[in-house]
Amino acid sequence: MASTSQVLPILDETDPLDVFKGNPDLDPNKAHRINLMFSNFDRKTRQGFNANLGYTYNESNIVNYTEMDYSIYKRTTTYENVKGNYRLNGNFFFNKQYQKGINKFRVNVGMSASYALTQGFRDAVKYEQYNTTLSPTLRLNWDYGDYLTISPSYRLNFTNSKYVNYSIDNQNNITHNFGIKTISTFPKNLTWTNDFSYNYNSRMAAGFKRDFFLWNTSLMYRFFDDKLEAGVKVYDLLNQNNSYTRTITAESTIDQRNNILTRFVMFSLTFNLNQFGGKSTKGGDGDRPREGGMRRM
């Protein structure tokens, strides 16, 4: 539905060089959607697959209509309807588990894809954007009894954008994320967890770091019949974490860096409430106790 600011014929000149005006002749945002889903998944064994296919067609999308007066660098924005925007998307996820003796293996494979047409206006000229995305994922898991869990994973995201009547002809972006998580419980009351990943983003402009490694590690010790747990966690051990992003819209390309937490150490003392009513709940990777399943003091 249209917002109040989009339909009221009020001239907003708060910024005299960036003016907004509503359009009372707008039609409501009408859309048709269809979704097909198929699932053959056993929640008890966590095996099977899920598939989904969706299509959305928009009869009257509401979009910005901008005009520029380059003599004084003034931008005026109002709102118009466009017909024919659509999006086709689908995904597929498969999970399988194998066991041989005390060794347990799990495979998780997924694929998401979409294709969409988005229309809009820039400098009073209508443009079209055709956007294609592909996102395959893979996660493997090996449990050696209750002593060791090793879980590598990989995720790829590919985006291609093609434009008609626009200053940009073609844009490609690829991101990679490779990770490996390990959980070691030996001796029994000592748990050592490592979460390591490599991240790469091809879209970043010159001067911005495109890749980094992230390594989190923690050491937890349980005592007093597993009712108390003391631990230490080091976040971003390599001190490389960053939050560089690039956003491309019809009006601008923005490279942004946000301030985030980098390397730090956290100490904790935890009291296990799960033991109050009986046996503690199992879960998570390798059917181990969930992190955060205890109350910190």
Side-chain angles (χ1 to χ4, degrees), residues 99-117:
Q99 186 162 357
K100 185 176 182 180
I102 64 172
N103 295 283
K104 183 185 294 185
F105 304 92
R106 289 198 296 274
V107 178
N108 301 286
V109 180
M111 169 65 80
S112 298
S114 67
Y115 183 77
L117 165 63

Side-chain angles (χ1 to χ4, degrees), residues 163-174:
Y163 297 87
V164 177
N165 289 336
Y166 193 64
S167 57
I168 301 174
D169 293 327
N170 191 29
Q171 285 283 316
N172 290 318
N173 181 51
I174 297 176

Side-chain angles (χ1 to χ4, degrees), residues 20-36:
F20 292 85
K21 183 179 180 180
N23 180 1
D25 297 323
L26 287 176
D27 289 332
N29 193 358
K30 302 175 184 177
H32 305 275
R33 296 182 177 88
I34 183 171
N35 284 285
L36 300 174

Side-chain angles (χ1 to χ4, degrees), residues 225-226 272-282 289 293:
D225 295 327
D226 291 346
N272 189 352
L273 295 178
N274 290 334
Q275 300 230 358
F276 181 78
K279 295 182 179 180
S280 60
T281 302
K282 299 286 185 178

